[in-house]
Amino acid sequence: MTETLREPYGAVLARLGGAQKGAARGAPAYSRFVNRRIGRYLAAAAYKLGLTPNAVTGVSALFTFSGIALLVALPPSWGQGAAITLLLVLGYAWDSADGQVARLTGLGSPAGEWLDHVVDAIKVVTLPLALAVGLVVHDVVDLVWLVVPLVSVVVSSVLFFAMILTDQLRRAHGVRSVAPTEGRFPWLRSVLVLPTDYGVLCWTFLLLGAPHVFLWVYATITACTAAFLVLALVKWFREVRAL
């Protein structure tokens, strides 16, 4: 513990740079290039404070679910949207930090990975549900708009489960899920799937002060994610069948 406190922050950051896992093949640009970098700075701070990976997961959950709670507790406004965005963005960054702390400290475990995935599974369901409840409680839009967050619940839940299950099955058969590095534009896929990026969704809550504008953007993201899900399910099924 004393050695951890004495190690300079910059040195911890440098070590984290060499402790990064390969990016997932389908990782969207914000998650891959922005959120992971922010998470690296938070992971270095967490390491200096002596936080365990599970404690970092807890910090992530605290920020995320505080933001989700505000969707129900307060009526839509620009201030509410800014607060929710900040909490969700920080929660997502801390979510990236827990795995980096685990790799840096060697304290990663199946239990830690399980906890991380369970928190994420709760998050992807409760976020759109809280949005739907908030819209009803504060009576700011027509009830027909509830279709959007309700569809989002199904799409995000199925996508998360299918993605995690596919990755686990690949691992079980010795297939690594890493980003492609060949080709002229190896980053192009990450940019094309930006509408499915949870990090991008977090930033859209800045628009809550204009509920109808926000819901049109949210509906567009949900539609793009649903289209991606259909294509991904077909692709993943073929991959799993070939294992």
Side-chain angles (χ1 to χ4, degrees):
M1 180 67 178
T2 302
E3 294 180 358
T4 298
L5 294 175
R6 289 178 179 174
E7 185 176 7
Y9 180 81
V12 177
L13 271 180
R15 286 209 293 134
L16 273 171
Q20 299 296 304
K21 66 177 181 179
R25 287 188 290 185
Y30 179 88
S31 295
R32 183 177 172 187
F33 301 119
V34 179
N35 194 64
R36 180 178 290 191
R37 183 175 295 274
I38 298 173
R40 188 183 306 178
Y41 288 100
L42 295 177
Y47 178 81
K48 288 285 292 177
L49 292 171
L51 297 180
T52 65
N54 286 352
V56 176
T57 300
V59 173
S60 170
L62 179 62
F63 278 108
T64 297
F65 294 117
S66 295
I68 291 174
L70 287 183
L71 283 168
V72 178
L74 299 175
S77 67
W78 295 109
Q80 181 222 29
I84 290 172
T85 299
L86 178 61
L87 290 168
L88 293 180
V89 167
L90 285 174
Y92 192 37
W94 279 103
D95 186 31
S96 174
D98 58 5
Q100 298 188 56
V101 172
R103 288 187 293 277
L104 186 62
T105 60
L107 296 177
S109 67
E113 186 173 6
W114 179 90
L115 180 63
D116 184 38
H117 288 335
V118 167
V119 171
D120 286 341
I122 297 172
K123 171 182 70 181
V124 299
V125 172
T126 55
L127 179 58
L129 284 179
L131 174 61
V133 172
L135 292 175
V136 172
V137 169
H138 301 293
D139 192 24
V140 291
V141 294
D142 294 334
L143 291 180
V144 68
W145 281 107
L146 294 181
V147 172
V148 178
L150 293 179
V151 170
S152 179
V153 171
V154 177
V155 171
S156 57
S157 180
V158 173
L159 177 59
F160 178 77
F161 175 80
M163 180 172 56
I164 294 299
L165 179 59
T166 302
D167 186 54
Q168 293 298 321
L169 290 172
R170 284 173 180 155
R171 288 191 201 180
H173 289 79
V175 178
R176 294 184 61 204
S177 300
V178 296
T181 56
E182 299 178 353
R184 190 173 180 182
F185 301 109
W187 45 264
L188 184 58
R189 176 185 172 88
S190 292
V191 175
L192 291 177
V193 296
L194 263 175
T196 70
D197 197 325
Y198 173 78
V200 172
L201 178 63
C202 292
W203 284 101
T204 64
F205 285 90
L206 282 173
L207 299 172
L208 272 175
H212 285 91
V213 174
F214 164 77
L215 284 167
W216 274 112
V217 173
Y218 190 81
T220 301
I221 289 176
T222 300
C224 290
T225 305
F228 172 84
L229 174 62
V230 172
L231 297 175
L233 288 177
V234 174
K235 177 178 180 293
W236 291 338
F237 178 74
R238 290 174 177 171
E239 289 182 1
V240 171
R241 186 172 59 183
L243 290 176

